[in-house]
Amino acid sequence: MITYQGLNINTKKQRLNEIPVRYVKGVGPARAETLKRLEIETVEDLLYHFPRRYEDRSKFKPISQVKIGEYGTVKGEILTLGGHRIGKGKSIFRVKVGDETGAIYAVWFNQPYMKNWFKSGDKIILYGKVEIYKDVQITAPEFEIITEEGKETIHTGRIVPIYPLTEGLSNRGLRSIMKNALDKYLDEVDEALPSEIRARHKLLDLKQAIGNLHFPEAEALRQAAYERVVFDEFFILQLALALRKTKIKEADGGIAHKVGGELLGSFKMLIPFRLTDAQRKAIEDIEKDMASPKPMNRLLEGDVGSGKTIVAAYALVLTVQNGYQGALMVPTEILARQHFNNLNGLLRPLGINIVLLTNAVIGESREEASRMVEDGTANIIVGTHALIQEGVKFKNLGLAVIDEQHKFGVDQRSSLKEKGSNPDVLFMTATPIPRTLAMTLYGDLDLSVLDQMPEGRIPPKAYWVGEERRQGIYKFIAQEVSAGRQAFIVYPIIEKKKDKGLPARGGSASGGKAATDMYEKFKREIFPKFKVGLVHGRLEDSEKERVMDDFKDGKVQILVSTTIIEVGIDNPNVSVMLIENPERFGLSQLHQLRGRIGRGNQRSYCILLSETESEQAKKRLKALISTTSGFNIAEEDLQIRGPGEFFGIRQHGLPELRYANLVSDVRQLEAARKEAFNLINCDGDLSLPNHKQLKEIIKRKFSEKIPSP
Ligand code: ADP
Ligand code: MG
């Protein structure tokens, strides 16, 4: 058989992402360099460089009806033109344009070369702000000469795109290039989205969408075009997540834990309270996952105080019963020790060996701990980042639990998993993530939600008060402490001098109170009768521990602190939290702080003392006092801050969305997610011929960058 290789090469259509942008008419080597600064290197990049906004220059006004001071579009014929000097090095050039109703001047200063653009009798469109000096005029208008009646205009006389630009590139220039690119290449844009999906969601076809995003034929079409591009962006991301999820699920060599057994039975008997239905359900989910030979990859999401620890403990006992080790990694020393103590109290009676491994554990104890992890004497290992250090070797890690997982970087999270061979993994977060974010961030995880608080909990009451109440609040704190309760007083900064100019949120950087100064004041002047403690991030670890222990034991009654207590501190006896300068905290952070109280069965109070004038800050404070639901708070926070800033999203590994908006495009996200997961259900590795292109796009866009938990 003879094959004509040459033929193939000639007929092979080159892809738009392979054609350098300099092949577009109007783009020379210099322009190509300029475009590079906008990350435009190929024809595809150019076509996907969408306008930042639009100007409607489509409605022509008879010249006699333009309004002084407003922007307007007129169409007419050039009647006269001419320029002259108006002083040293200054000149004016005027074009008189008339229609049946009147005349108007287009005026340029110090641009004598403008005269080369025009000649008498030209048909022209002008757009700009109408002014009146001697005559009615538009200074330096956008203009476009109509060479052929009926020919499409791109700068005026339509809805006109306004692009993100860079130095050396004008909107006018970019519009011309874009028009050339569309004329030549739009027809070659490939449609990757299966037609059934397009039909189901009434999406524009891709060519039409791209065309209309640049040069909209009508506002409705522009909107539809935007929706199409947003859908695509979400769809590709969700497809990647769905692929990843099936890949994890299909990985071989996971551990099939045996559920039930004596140890687990005894553990259940030891649980000192009735589990909430939500906890039961989460445990059921986890048991199923752990029993399966596929590795578990589950996120346990639950507001502060919803009782995640006991669920984690259950899973840890399950793996220990099966002869494996369990690891619990948390973001701070304090939290590690607290979990260590709690688990010890709960599990030591069962003969389970628990080891603490943090960077504060040093010298001989560190060596011993490492040895126990390595030889398997340690059944459960609780620790911080120290767990994932290179020297740490597990004998047989069966389950990795990562608490407050959003505090860890993407790599750190996967390194713990890599300490074992396909262990089950349970992520936990007390930061209720709005659904839309959860879907994008954790779209490849299974989800269990603790949406119920343990019985008898009384949610803390929150108040927002001003300076005039300060003395009253101190009195109230004294009253509570005298009655045997304890109090937190929280500050955004540690120390005044050093922290000057720290980023303040919604308040002035200077001013604001600091933990160390106020600690002295409380100790000496305000609460001399009580035991006041201080804890912040700059203390030695041992000192932090001592203070936290004393607070837990009631030896410290009033704890002055920074946000270091935000994560995980569990002292049910605390009944008041005073937060000073709360305007400097984010909403979710305030909610986390508040979660440190109301952990017992008595009434508790969270008092926000703020005189803020910032509207944004007021919004946050109002949101906080109006709801106790972490999910509502998170939604609100996302609305206020926008996805970019929500908990420092980058750390989550959120892929950047170029077109879609997680706040306003929720509907598209949900639709795209459903379709993507559906598609992967039917064609698990995108091997069907009509999915080939999708597969290529995913490969190209994500390679290995698919967001991983
Ligand atoms: P978080 O979800 O914030 O990690 P914890 O697991 O620390 O919450 O639980 C908060 C407190 O509630 C702990 O003191 C814990 O012992 C207690 N707790 C957990 N579950 C229950 C329950 N079902 N009934 C009563 N108390 C519970
Ligand atoms: Mg917890």
Side-chain angles (χ1 to χ4, degrees):
M1 201 167 66
I2 305 163
T3 56
Y4 294 95
Q5 283 195 330
L7 211 69
N8 254 328
I9 289 165
N10 286 334
T11 50
K12 189 183 165 221
K13 207 169 56 174
Q14 217 181 351
R15 300 232 175 78
L16 297 183
N17 64 310
E18 292 165 350
I19 305 176
V21 71
R22 78 188 132 77
Y23 289 4
V24 174
K25 196 167 119 203
V27 183
R31 269 264 158 87
E33 278 307 306
T34 308
L35 289 172
K36 214 170 175 174
R37 272 188 261 134
L38 292 168
E39 291 177 25
I40 298 171
E41 299 191 36
T42 66
V43 170
E44 185 185 79
D45 295 340
L46 183 64
L47 294 185
Y48 274 88
H49 185 71
F50 295 132
R52 172 164 59 83
R53 64 184 178 87
Y54 301 84
E55 271 173 19
D56 190 349
R57 303 175 185 170
S58 63
K59 311 226 165 37
F60 295 105
K61 274 217 168 98
I63 291 177
S64 64
Q65 285 179 29
V66 295
K67 292 217 170 65
I68 309 297
E70 284 182 12
Y71 283 81
T73 310
V74 297
K75 184 151 104 181
E77 186 180 317
I78 296 183
L79 304 176
T80 61
L81 65 165
H84 57 269
R85 296 163 59 94
I86 51 169
K88 221 170 79 199
K90 291 191 178 149
S91 68
I92 182 169
F93 173 74
R94 304 207 305 166
V95 174
K96 184 176 183 181
V97 175
D99 67 5
E100 310 82 65
T101 70
I104 190 168
Y105 285 88
V107 179
W108 286 268
F109 291 98
N110 309 322
Q111 288 169 268
Y113 50 83
M114 286 306 297
K115 70 172 189 291
N116 303 325
W117 281 93
F118 312 104
K119 58 182 196 304
S120 190
D122 278 352
K123 295 267 190 321
I124 188 170
I125 300 173
L126 302 175
Y127 168 84
K129 191 171 175 186
V130 180
E131 301 162 324
I132 185 157
Y133 288 101
K134 211 163 70 197
D135 302 294
V136 178
Q137 68 174 53
I138 301 177
T139 305
E142 291 272 355
F143 68 92
E144 191 153 8
I145 292 162
I146 306 164
T147 48
E148 270 168 63
E149 206 50 62
K151 187 172 175 234
E152 190 185 8
T153 59
I154 59 173
H155 307 295
T156 58
R158 60 167 316 126
I159 300 174
V160 173
I162 311 290
Y163 290 99
L165 298 171
T166 181
E167 208 188 315
L169 185 68
S170 66
N171 258 307
R172 209 179 162 83
L174 185 51
R175 259 179 237 133
S176 305
I177 296 172
M178 199 63 83
K179 182 73 169 69
N180 293 340
L182 288 167
D183 285 349
K184 173 123 190 247
Y185 295 109
L186 187 59
D187 256 354
E188 290 172 36
V189 166
D190 273 331
E191 179 64 78
L193 200 61
S195 54
E196 322 83 74
I197 297 183
R198 252 184 300 144
R200 263 198 293 278
H201 302 280
K202 302 196 174 55
L203 296 167
L204 284 194
D205 81 67
L206 190 56
K207 287 179 198 164
Q208 208 187 358
I210 291 177
N212 270 284
L213 274 168
H214 292 292
F215 297 107
E217 292 161 50
E219 171 52 25
L221 273 170
R222 189 204 59 76
Q223 180 60 34
Y226 173 72
E227 284 183 12
R228 166 65 210 257
V229 172
V230 165
F231 188 95
D232 278 15
E233 189 166 39
F234 282 140
F235 184 72
I236 294 298
L237 173 62
Q238 292 299 326
L239 211 50
L241 288 166
L243 273 171
R244 210 190 117 82
K245 185 166 176 174
T246 37
K247 214 167 92 192
I248 293 170
K249 284 284 146 203
E250 278 161 17
D252 294 321
I255 300 161
H257 287 87
K258 278 212 184 63
V259 177
E262 207 175 311
L263 196 61
L264 214 52
S266 320
F267 172 66
K268 282 184 196 163
M269 310 259 282
L270 283 177
I271 297 178
F273 39 70
R274 239 179 71 91
L275 293 175
T276 64
D277 289 343
Q279 284 169 322
R280 267 175 223 290
K281 173 74 175 60
I283 285 175
E284 239 172 66
D285 292 342
I286 290 169
E287 271 187 341
K288 260 194 216 128
D289 285 358
M290 289 181 70
S292 144
K294 317 272 182 214
M296 170 165 77
N297 197 40
R298 182 172 288 277
L299 177 66
L300 178 61
E301 196 177 307
D303 213 342
V304 272
S306 60
K308 292 182 292 297
T309 314
I310 199 75
V311 176
Y314 191 97
L316 288 166
V317 173
L318 181 55
T319 206
V320 171
Q321 176 173 271
N322 280 268
Y324 293 96
Q325 291 174 305
L328 171 60
M329 183 163 79
V330 301
T332 68
E333 294 279 342
I334 296 182
L335 197 51
R337 269 175 8 88
Q338 190 178 293
H339 273 307
F340 173 73
N341 291 335
N342 286 345
L343 288 178
N344 240 334
L346 205 58
L347 306 182
R348 175 90 28 184
L350 299 174
I352 294 178
N353 236 332
I354 306 172
V355 160
L356 179 69
L357 194 66
T358 73
N359 285 336
V361 180
I362 48 172
E364 263 176 49
S365 359
R366 176 59 173 266
E367 271 166 37
E368 194 191 342
S370 296
R371 185 185 51 73
M372 289 170 75
V373 176
E374 194 164 348
D375 70 14
T377 328
N379 303 119
I380 294 177
I381 302 93
V382 180
T384 54
H385 304 81
L387 284 184
I388 49 177
Q389 278 162 6
E390 224 160 88
V392 180
K393 288 201 184 63
F394 288 81
K395 179 163 183 245
N396 57 354
L397 186 62
L399 169 72
V401 183
I402 299 171
D403 194 13
E404 308 292 349
Q405 59 89 27
H406 60 278
K407 300 260 168 183
F408 292 98
V410 173
D411 296 341
Q412 294 172 322
R413 282 176 249 162
S414 50
S415 340
L416 183 56
K417 181 175 174 165
E418 274 144 31
K419 293 279 178 186
S421 110
N422 275 328
D424 286 325
V425 182
L426 179 66
F427 300 98
M428 305 203 288
T429 182
T431 321
I433 295 151
R435 267 173 51 70
T436 51
L437 269 191
M439 274 192 269
T440 22
L441 293 172
Y442 309 123
D444 56 340
L445 297 183
D446 295 304
L447 188 65
S448 296
V449 180
L450 299 185
D451 51 4
Q452 235 177 353
M453 285 294 173
E455 236 169 82
R457 273 301 151 69
I458 312 174
K461 272 200 180 303
Y463 302 91
W464 171 15
V465 300
E467 274 302 323
E468 76 284 356
R469 300 280 294 278
R470 181 176 290 278
Q471 295 313 317
I473 295 165
Y474 290 162
K475 232 168 108 187
F476 177 67
I477 291 175
Q479 217 175 303
E480 287 287 305
V481 175
S482 298
R485 304 273 178 250
Q486 287 165 280
F488 281 122
I489 306 181
V490 185
Y491 293 91
I493 51 182
I494 299 178
E495 215 169 352
K496 261 254 172 76
K497 300 133 252 158
K498 285 191 193 154
D499 286 322
K500 238 206 215 130
L502 258 195
R505 191 187 290 283
S508 61
S510 57
K513 297 189 160 46
T516 44
D517 309 334
M518 290 305 285
Y519 164 69
E520 295 298 332
K521 198 165 162 184
F522 287 132
K523 205 167 62 168
R524 301 224 164 84
E525 298 167 28
I526 300 167
F527 302 119
K529 283 193 302 189
F530 301 126
K531 284 161 284 180
V532 184
L534 173 69
V535 68
H536 58 70
R538 282 201 212 129
L539 296 180
E540 289 293 322
D541 286 333
S542 55
E543 176 66 7
K544 274 186 233 164
E545 279 171 28
R546 197 186 52 73
V547 180
M548 295 308 303
D549 281 347
D550 286 353
F551 187 62
K552 180 114 198 192
D553 299 343
K555 284 186 230 152
V556 163
Q557 294 165 300
I558 298 172
L559 185 61
V560 180
S561 79
T562 57
T563 52
I564 191 168
I565 58 154
E566 166 193 350
V567 163
I569 302 306
D570 189 16
N571 180 348
N573 191 44
V574 186
S575 65
V576 200
M577 172 179 283
L578 167 61
I579 306 177
E580 294 231 46
N581 299 113
E583 68 275 3
R584 297 198 180 190
F585 297 114
L587 183 50
S588 293
Q589 198 176 15
L590 286 170
H591 179 69
Q592 291 282 316
L593 281 169
R594 175 172 62 178
R596 297 302 121 217
I597 61 172
R599 298 173 79 82
N601 294 331
Q602 79 269 346
R603 176 62 71 208
S604 60
Y605 308 87
C606 177
I607 304 165
L608 311 167
L609 206 168
S610 176
E611 294 276 338
T612 184
E613 292 293 328
S614 147
E615 287 308 315
Q616 285 278 308
K618 285 181 186 172
K619 256 196 210 165
R620 293 197 293 274
L621 300 185
K622 273 187 199 145
L624 190 81
I625 59 176
S626 67
T627 177
T628 53
S629 149
F631 285 93
N632 293 348
I633 295 270
E635 289 287 354
E636 191 76 25
D637 202 12
L638 182 62
Q639 300 280 344
I640 294 175
R641 279 205 272 171
E645 268 197 73
F646 190 80
F647 313 125
I649 278 308
R650 248 153 271 301
Q651 185 186 294
H652 279 79
L654 179 73
E656 218 173 306
L657 293 166
R658 282 187 66 184
Y659 314 113
N661 179 315
L662 283 174
V663 176
S664 48
D665 299 324
V666 180
R667 193 175 50 81
Q668 297 290 84
L669 170 57
E670 293 188 349
R673 178 175 169 81
K674 227 175 164 175
E675 291 291 357
F677 276 73
N678 241 339
L679 191 137
I680 293 300
N681 240 346
C682 308
D683 181 15
D685 52 0
L686 296 178
S687 54
L688 291 177
N690 59 335
H691 296 153
K692 191 170 140 235
Q693 235 182 307
L694 285 173
K695 191 167 185 166
E696 272 168 27
I697 293 177
I698 300 239
K699 260 208 195 121
R700 192 146 60 83
K701 289 229 157 103
F702 291 96
S703 52
E704 273 314 297
K705 282 192 321 207
I706 297 170
S708 72

